[in-house]
Amino acid sequence: MATGLPPLLAIAFLISTLLPLPISLAGEIASIESVPDLQKLMYVAVDGYPCVRLLNLSGEIGCSNPGLSKVVAPIIKLKDLKDVAEPHTVLVTADEMEDFFTRVSNDVSFASKIGGVLVESGSSFQQKLKGLSPDKMFPQAEFSPYKNADYKWNPTASSIMWKAYNFPVYLLSESGISAVQEFLSKKEMKHKTFTSHVAEFNMVMETTKAGTHNSEVCLQEGSCLPLGGYSVWSSLPPINVSSSNNRKPIVLTVASMDSASFFRDKSFGADSPISGLVALLGAVDALSRVEGFSNLKKQLVFLVLTGETWGYLGSRRFLHELDRHSDAVAGLSDTLIETVLEIGSVGKGLSGGTNTFFAHKTRVSSTTNMTLDALKIAQDSLASKNIKILSADTTNPGIPPSSLMAFMKKNPQTSAVVLEDFDTKFVNKFYHSHLDDLSNINSSSVVAAASVVARTLYTLASDSNDASNSALGSIHVNASFVEELLACLLSCEPGLACNLVKYYISPTNTCPGNYAGVISGEPSSKPYLGYVSDVSRFLWNFLAEKTSVQEGNTTSVCSKGSCSKTEEVCIKAESNKEGTCVVSTTRYVPAYSTRLKYNDGAWTILPQNTSDSMGMVDPVWTESNWNTIGVQVYTVQHSAYDNAVLVAGITVTTLAYIGIMVAKSFITKALKQD
């Protein structure tokens, strides 16, 4: 019997050498009490922001899984991506981003190595980067009212957001960066020979699945939706819509609420354009405390547009609705608009203790000069605040990219001024980048712009040239309100969960993405509020309250969002069980391409109209539908290891069989001898 032990020991030794199974979870096994516990241990969900597939009439941009299933690829740092045999998930830092995507577009061999991309970013990169703007040097030049479309307004541009990438791209959040770094550090500590750390991307786009690769086809097949949303306008004081008598000239003040970036839900747009929006709201708040607006010579109207990043959807649709005299613009008339003041990027005006802004005018006219004079009066009345308003360089080809371009294309005789924090080129080196966040602007610059705008508008409405006017001197912007609003619209903490926003609405999201999004359902001036973004609903309620009057100093309650009088609107109905009826002229205006028509639950593209010069160059942007988007990382065994296990198993089985047969023969002989 003793002579049978060596074969068995040999088998045991062979098993131990061929199957080096490191139990990496040994210290954690005791904590696993259920299948979900095991899943959490094996699969690490990664938080972040996706790049998604967008389409236009001529093709696609953005990112998507290349096929109909999830992408699983080993993780590797960009510097280590050399001679790899299979596509990998490449870990790219923000300072490598532009060069990386430019090379992908220009080098097919390099692009074939890319299975997916994880982008590491953060505030530290803002200091070290000279610039990161994925947009073009002249954004939306096709809509320019002048011919010099090669002018470089945005000198840090790379244009990488306007290319199509047939692999998933995901910007890691701070927690996502920590999760991936911790995951990869475990790999380095354990030195596993037979495993790989992989990223799994669930970013399948419906247009990829349906094979619909432009806006016209995907709208026909229902695999995409048009970009757009709802703009908001309001008048101070309210307009008597039922009467067309004694209508005053209109001073229209414009700002935008939407931005863009390479990553769908990381488009804060702090300087461009949210600083201008906040300045406008700060000015409205200040003007709401001024008495006697009904006695002034001109009517103030505030217009906040969405969809401007994608072919000036908001401004073009607003002008189109004016032509149609639709309910969305009831009380307004394009013939009554005397001048337009747009508030653009105003978050970076502070330099050397002085806030400097530049007035870019559309054309030379007495009305434009009137607006420039009003800006000068406002500046002089704020002499102690160190604010300068300068005229833009006359060598500029025209106004910078702004909503005024749509107004100018519609009517070249428009008298208008856009206020910006730059002269000949953008000072925002992160224009339309995920890095254009709250840390990229200065709140005192926004407060200064709001102060100038508030006093300029009062001067225009009163038609007064007296900088020492006591009423003008009494208009003060609440700096604390501006700072609170910036925190609400440009951060995730508190974000839209801030008290200011919750006072008016019940937000569905905490983080304000500021991406235009898609327009759902039938466009209407009285839309289903579930189809209206949090920011649009907040703006509607805020402007309705600040520009309202109450009849007889009494308030009435609205229970289901409606009021008994036609001139009244119901505000704060979301945040309270019962809203309040106030007299206000505040309206939603659908924002979507003038080339689109909604009929019987579907979108169709209208034929080109030669009389609509902007429609002729309209790309008609859409976003692919998608079900879920997510990324997780986990460890997988190499196929070589699986093959080794198989060979070892076969070898062990064979040797065991031989051992048994040898032992059996030995035992049989031993028994016969006995």
Side-chain angles (χ1 to χ4, degrees):
M1 293 284 293
T3 56
L5 290 177
L8 294 176
L9 288 173
I11 294 171
F13 177 76
L14 185 63
I15 292 173
S16 66
T17 55
L18 289 178
L19 301 177
L21 298 175
I23 307 299
S24 61
L25 304 179
E28 303 172 59
I29 292 293
S31 65
I32 300 176
E33 299 178 356
S34 63
V35 172
D37 287 343
L38 180 60
Q39 289 177 328
K40 289 180 181 178
L41 201 59
M42 295 175 63
Y43 302 98
V44 179
V46 178
D47 186 38
Y49 311 90
C51 164
V52 300
R53 176 70 79 216
L54 300 178
L55 306 93
N56 57 31
L57 291 176
S58 58
E60 302 170 308
I61 67 169
C63 319
S64 172
N65 282 18
L68 309 183
S69 58
K70 299 176 182 178
V71 168
V72 180
I75 303 172
I76 190 171
K77 292 183 178 179
L78 179 59
K79 63 182 179 64
D80 299 324
L81 185 68
K82 297 174 183 176
D83 298 323
V84 294
E86 60 179 340
H88 278 61
T89 296
V90 186
L91 200 57
V92 177
T93 56
D95 55 339
E96 299 169 327
M97 187 174 163
E98 289 187 339
D99 289 342
F100 172 80
F101 284 104
T102 299
R103 185 178 176 187
V104 166
S105 298
N106 298 330
D107 187 340
V108 176
S109 175
F110 179 73
S112 67
K113 300 176 183 179
I114 314 301
V117 179
L118 296 175
V119 179
E120 286 186 89
S121 189
S123 57
S124 61
F125 290 100
Q126 289 173 315
Q127 304 302 321
K128 60 191 291 189
L129 281 168
K130 293 182 179 179
L132 176 61
S133 174
D135 208 332
K136 299 176 182 178
M137 290 193 176
F138 192 149
Q140 305 195 88
E142 62 269 29
F143 293 97
S144 170
Y146 48 86
K147 294 181 179 180
N148 189 358
D150 295 324
Y151 189 81
K152 297 178 181 179
W153 286 107
N154 185 21
T156 62
S158 65
S159 300
I160 60 173
M161 67 180 281
W162 300 103
K163 307 287 179 63
Y165 305 98
N166 291 317
F167 49 78
V169 182
Y170 202 68
L171 173 67
L172 299 172
S173 65
E174 290 186 9
S175 63
I177 293 173
S178 299
V180 171
Q181 288 177 342
E182 181 181 356
F183 191 75
L184 295 178
S185 66
K186 289 181 179 179
K187 172 185 176 182
E188 294 173 358
M189 287 189 295
K190 292 172 183 174
H191 300 290
K192 292 186 180 180
T193 307
F194 299 107
T195 59
S196 290
H197 286 259
V198 302
E200 178 186 277
F201 297 86
N202 184 12
M203 296 171 64
V204 179
M205 299 288 127
E206 290 296 322
T207 52
T208 303
K209 293 169 67 175
T212 52
H213 300 298
N214 64 59
S215 289
E216 185 170 14
V217 178
C218 74
L219 287 173
Q220 289 173 353
E221 297 297 322
S223 58
C224 65
L225 284 172
L227 295 192
Y230 284 90
S231 303
V232 178
W233 72 269
S234 186
S235 66
L236 180 67
I239 297 171
N240 185 355
V241 178
S242 61
S243 174
S244 59
N245 296 328
N246 301 319
R247 291 284 176 88
K248 299 177 181 179
I250 292 173
V251 176
L252 180 64
T253 311
V254 180
S256 299
M257 71 172 86
D258 75 292
S259 186
S261 81
F262 196 95
F263 305 99
R264 183 188 192 277
D265 300 315
K266 190 71 168 178
S267 304
F268 284 129
D271 186 42
S272 311
I274 302 302
S275 63
L277 168 62
V278 173
L280 172 61
L281 299 182
V284 172
D285 177 63
L287 292 171
S288 70
R289 296 187 290 272
V290 177
E291 300 290 338
F293 261 98
S294 59
N295 299 323
L296 299 184
K297 296 180 179 180
K298 295 173 186 177
Q299 177 74 52
L300 294 183
V301 173
F302 311 107
L303 173 63
V304 183
L305 299 163
T306 191
E308 293 300 271
T309 307
W310 305 99
Y312 299 115
L313 299 177
S315 50
R316 288 171 51 215
R317 175 57 59 175
F318 174 76
L319 293 169
H320 182 69
E321 297 301 313
L322 281 178
D323 285 345
R324 295 178 59 237
H325 305 287
S326 71
D327 291 341
V329 292
L332 300 182
S333 169
D334 56 352
T335 59
L336 288 175
I337 298 176
E338 182 177 78
T339 188
V340 183
L341 174 63
E342 180 172 359
I343 313 172
S345 304
V346 294
K348 300 179 75 66
L350 181 63
S351 179
T354 300
N355 283 292
T356 304
F357 304 102
F358 296 88
H360 300 255
K361 61 185 178 183
T362 54
R363 67 188 186 95
V364 177
S365 70
S366 59
T367 305
T368 302
N369 290 337
M370 176 185 68
T371 303
L372 295 174
D373 290 343
L375 285 166
K376 180 67 167 56
I377 291 170
Q379 170 196 279
D380 294 344
S381 72
L382 293 162
S384 63
K385 303 294 184 181
N386 293 326
I387 300 173
K388 284 186 179 180
I389 307 296
L390 303 177
S391 293
D393 196 317
T394 55
T395 63
N396 287 350
I399 56 173
S402 58
S403 299
L404 289 189
M405 287 193 164
F407 284 84
M408 285 293 290
K409 290 284 279 188
K410 180 71 175 178
N411 178 11
Q413 300 305 310
T414 300
S415 295
V417 171
V418 55
L419 195 66
E420 304 276 10
D421 55 15
F422 61 88
D423 185 4
T424 60
K425 60 184 179 181
F426 296 170
V427 294
N428 179 11
K429 62 182 181 179
F430 299 123
Y431 182 81
H432 283 174
S433 163
H434 63 279
L435 294 176
D436 187 13
D437 58 20
L438 186 56
S439 65
N440 191 41
I441 61 173
N442 190 299
S443 63
S444 66
S445 178
V446 181
V447 172
S451 301
V452 168
V453 169
R455 296 194 178 193
T456 298
L457 293 179
Y458 186 85
T459 300
L460 289 171
S462 61
D463 204 13
S464 170
N465 294 322
D466 185 6
S468 62
N469 187 312
S470 59
L472 189 66
S474 68
I475 300 173
H476 298 287
V477 169
N478 184 339
S480 297
F481 167 77
V482 169
E483 291 172 359
E484 182 181 8
L485 195 51
L486 288 171
C488 295
L489 297 179
L490 293 174
S491 69
C492 294
E493 294 180 4
L496 297 178
C498 67
N499 292 332
L500 176 60
V501 172
K502 289 169 66 176
Y503 176 74
Y504 291 101
I505 67 168
S506 297
T508 56
N509 297 296
T510 300
C511 287
N514 296 335
Y515 166 69
V518 297
I519 187 162
S520 302
E522 183 174 7
S524 170
S525 60
K526 296 181 179 179
Y528 167 61
L529 295 182
Y531 291 155
V532 183
S533 72
D534 289 337
V535 174
S536 289
R537 298 196 325 277
F538 163 69
L539 292 173
W540 186 93
N541 280 270
F542 174 85
L543 290 173
E545 181 183 55
K546 294 298 181 180
T547 62
S548 68
V549 296
Q550 295 177 351
E551 293 184 339
N553 295 321
T554 60
T555 60
S556 58
V557 172
C558 45
S559 58
K560 294 184 178 180
S562 60
C563 300
S564 58
K565 298 179 181 179
T566 56
E567 67 272 18
E568 291 183 329
V569 295
C570 180
I571 62 172
K572 296 183 287 187
E574 288 185 52
S575 57
N576 301 321
K577 291 182 179 179
E578 295 179 331
T580 302
C581 287
V582 295
V583 177
S584 176
T585 310
T586 304
R587 304 281 186 270
Y588 287 113
V589 184
Y592 60 98
S593 171
T594 55
R595 290 283 311 278
L596 289 173
K597 181 180 181 181
Y598 186 87
N599 190 32
D600 293 332
W603 292 93
T604 56
I605 295 180
L606 299 172
Q608 286 187 326
N609 182 352
T610 54
S611 64
D612 180 9
S613 60
M614 290 181 286
M616 293 290 289
V617 296
D618 187 354
V620 188
W621 288 106
T622 57
E623 180 186 318
S624 174
N625 297 338
W626 39 268
N627 291 322
T628 57
I629 287 181
V631 175
Q632 59 183 5
V633 293
Y634 53 89
T635 302
V636 297
Q637 291 178 341
H638 290 175
S639 58
Y641 179 73
D642 294 335
N643 293 335
V645 171
L646 177 61
V647 171
I650 294 172
T651 303
V652 168
T653 302
T654 302
L655 292 176
Y657 177 76
I658 294 172
I660 291 170
M661 295 306 294
V662 171
K664 181 179 179 181
S665 175
F666 176 80
I667 293 170
T668 301
K669 289 180 180 180
L671 289 174
K672 285 182 179 181
Q673 290 176 357
D674 292 343

